[in-house]
Amino acid sequence: MGKLVVHGGVRLNGSVRISGAKNAALPILAATILLDEPVLIHNVPDLLDVRTMMEILESIGFNVRFEKNTIWVKPSASLKGQVPYEPVRKMRASFNVLGPLAVKCGEASVSLPGGCSIGVRPVDFHLEGLRKLGFSIDVEHGVVKAKREKRLGECYVYFPFPSVGATEHIMITAALLDGTRTIIENAAMEPEIVDLANFLVSCGAKILGAGSRRIEIEGVDRLRSCEHSIIPDRIEAGTYAIAAAATRGKVLLQNVRPDHMMAAIEALNQSGAQIKIDGNNLLVQMNERPKPLKLQVAPYPGFPTDLQPQMIAYLSVADGTSVIVETVFKSRFQHVDELRRLGLKAELTDGTAIVYGVERLQGTIVKATDLRAAAALVIAGLMAEGTTIIEEVDQIFRGYEDLTLKLSKLSAIVEYENG
Ligand code: UD1
């Protein structure tokens, strides 16, 4: 495991091009399992998670090539219906291959995803959804087997919580259930779900309502080849925007979709940052200590949970007390302990963080507990006096393409050291 050495006290300055969205690329790659013809996907970020999904596609017999942010996927006529444990252990999003693989092969087996450092993450909505689509589900020795048992005319799937992964999983699976009309109620509305639906529709799927709480899918018997470009990563963009404000810098984010980032933009604005939107560019500038915020983390279009750790890092030096209520992953606060080592003053009570702003953070040695926690520690390190060493930092490369290069271009002084 490598470490990142961050020298604090430098204001970020300059421009940064935002990469394609990891969380759109992963389900779209899972959806290619449904196809009989090759597809080209552009603006794919070169990240560990994307490489893991490629590994899965190759393990079931696909031919995959990745060059300069474009992936070419060529399906195989003889698919294997079993996915090895290792990639699923590494990345939860790989569980979304179960449904499409079971549609193509009649039955499929995928390991249950392992535990996760951001809290309990069950897959019960996925499994219940697949049952509603006519699959039998057996879980034995940590492996889930899904088998297509019934061909149904109409299916209703209701999620108790608008789960991103379960919405994607059911939407992908239902797309190729010929003769079946599926209605998903209380669907997640994230932009990545709309991107996935747009990809599937370009391949010939019939999907209405993606981006709303009700999605309707009319299964088709075949999906054709298409070319698709992944949307910009709103979480990467939000991270750089927060880093810009946190270092009291001035950063132009290029290739962003500001309309996908309204909750984050609003929060930064309320904290005193100046934000200018110009088409696909976003200029973030900040000259003062942030004002404290009351922030509720919620499913899209609410403030994203994947920016909550970074926001806590930022608000650690606010001029007053902030309250951050996490409603998506209620125990996602592992970063708070590490941030405390840098000087954060915070209390945690049942899904809520109360952050008492301090004047400054001070660099020390910390450990990254998960991907976005690592991003929060980078932001804190950039703000802190002196040097911060972030150990076990490699998880950050699951979600941030060219991180050290992009930060260096913004004048940050960061060095990655192999462990
Ligand atoms: C996706 C994102 C992740 C983000 C999260 C919430 C990807 C690859 N990952 O994760 O970065 O943090 O959305 O925006 O896109 N739940 C259940 N049962 C289930 C499924 C979910 O109880 O079967 C619960 C979860 O524990 C959590 C909530 O629903 O409390 C939301 O999780 P979900 O939206 O499914 O997150 P992921 O799709 O795993």
Side-chain angles (χ1 to χ4, degrees):
M1 276 288 210
K3 43 176 105 149
L4 195 70
V5 181
V6 182
H7 300 278
V10 179
R11 293 172 182 232
L12 294 192
N13 192 9
S15 59
V16 59
R17 191 181 187 282
I18 299 305
S19 300
K22 163 180 93 75
N23 287 353
L26 295 176
I28 286 175
L29 285 171
T32 63
I33 291 176
L34 299 174
L35 305 177
D36 298 319
E37 299 170 11
V39 277
L40 264 184
I41 307 164
H42 305 291
N43 203 32
V44 180
D46 192 352
L47 298 169
L48 284 180
D49 278 10
V50 168
R51 297 273 170 186
T52 302
M53 192 55 95
M54 287 170 59
E55 210 184 295
I56 292 178
L57 293 177
E58 281 165 347
S59 78
I60 58 169
F62 276 39
N63 205 334
V64 188
R65 259 190 267 142
F66 192 10
E67 230 176 275
K68 292 193 185 137
N69 296 111
T70 291
I71 290 196
W72 174 82
V73 183
K74 184 168 180 275
S76 155
S78 56
L79 270 185
K80 288 193 203 96
Q82 281 161 359
V83 176
Y85 173 59
E86 201 46 34
V88 190
R89 186 189 65 79
K90 275 197 269 187
M91 184 183 73
R92 202 184 140 79
S94 44
F95 192 66
N96 282 4
V97 303
L98 177 66
L101 208 49
V103 174
K104 288 295 271 189
C105 302
E107 66 176 70
S109 307
V110 175
S111 299
L112 275 171
C116 178
S117 49
I118 67 173
V120 181
R121 292 174 81 178
V123 286
D124 50 337
F125 304 164
H126 297 239
L127 301 185
E128 196 46 39
L130 290 174
R131 281 192 193 101
K132 292 267 164 59
L133 298 186
F135 292 82
S136 63
I137 302 289
D138 285 307
V139 185
E140 265 179 42
H141 303 289
V143 175
V144 184
K145 189 164 101 181
K147 187 171 179 196
R148 191 163 182 201
E149 301 282 3
K150 291 181 238 163
R151 289 173 185 270
L152 303 166
E154 199 157 71
C155 314
Y156 285 86
V157 178
Y158 172 81
F159 295 127
F161 187 90
S163 154
V164 175
T167 302
E168 292 165 346
H169 199 169
I170 298 308
M171 189 163 82
I172 296 170
T173 309
L176 200 64
L177 295 181
D178 184 23
T180 303
R181 181 167 165 260
T182 302
I183 289 136
I184 307 177
E185 291 284 6
N186 205 23
M189 309 200 296
E190 270 67 1
E192 292 76 20
I193 286 164
V194 178
D195 204 32
L196 169 65
N198 287 341
F199 166 77
L200 285 165
V201 168
S202 305
C203 297
K206 294 187 180 159
I207 300 172
L208 289 175
S212 76
R213 284 275 177 254
R214 184 179 201 270
I215 304 179
E216 213 177 301
I217 305 134
E218 196 78 53
V220 296
D221 65 347
R222 199 164 180 279
L223 293 172
R224 55 173 184 265
S225 166
C226 86
E227 215 171 314
H228 181 82
S229 190
I230 302 285
I231 54 167
D233 195 315
R234 65 196 168 96
I235 304 301
E236 188 200 18
T239 302
Y240 282 102
I242 295 171
T247 58
R248 295 171 210 176
K250 184 177 178 185
V251 172
L252 180 71
L253 309 176
Q254 297 169 315
N255 185 41
V256 295
R257 284 283 304 262
D259 56 324
H260 292 168
M261 300 173 60
M262 293 321 286
I265 290 174
E266 180 60 19
L268 281 170
N269 242 325
Q270 281 179 14
S271 74
Q274 295 153 38
I275 308 232
K276 274 197 199 129
I277 299 174
D278 178 12
N280 290 339
N281 292 335
L282 196 70
L283 182 70
V284 183
Q285 191 173 1
M286 180 74 164
N287 302 312
E288 53 194 347
R289 255 179 105 176
K291 296 186 185 74
L293 296 181
K294 300 224 175 333
L295 199 64
Q296 164 132 324
V297 171
Y300 189 84
F303 188 89
T305 176
D306 286 351
L307 288 178
Q308 179 259 101
Q310 299 89 314
M311 207 62 186
I312 289 188
Y314 171 58
L315 293 172
S316 66
V317 297
D319 192 7
T321 302
S322 300
V323 179
I324 297 106
V325 182
E326 171 60 78
T327 67
V328 178
F329 294 108
K330 286 195 175 144
S331 56
R332 183 181 202 168
F333 286 117
Q334 282 81 349
H335 44 282
V336 165
D337 270 344
E338 293 303 307
L339 287 169
R340 278 186 179 128
R341 295 174 48 72
L342 294 161
L344 167 78
K345 291 224 172 340
E347 261 173 50
L348 295 178
T349 50
D350 191 29
T352 299
I354 301 168
V355 176
Y356 304 101
V358 295
E359 285 218 3
R360 64 185 69 85
L361 300 180
Q362 292 182 324
T364 185
I365 301 177
V366 288
K367 192 175 84 179
T369 49
D370 65 75
L371 161 61
R372 306 301 171 186
L377 291 171
V378 171
I379 291 173
L382 290 170
M383 294 156 73
E385 280 176 359
T387 302
T388 298
I389 298 172
I390 307 169
E391 293 183 332
E392 299 187 19
V393 77
D394 293 71
Q395 329 187 39
I396 207 163
F397 303 116
R398 292 183 47 207
Y400 294 91
E401 189 178 43
D402 296 333
L403 177 86
T404 49
L405 187 71
K406 287 184 181 183
L407 281 174
S408 303
K409 279 195 183 157
L410 294 174
S411 316
I413 309 167
V414 290
E415 295 131 34
Y416 176 75
E417 288 176 8
N418 261 320

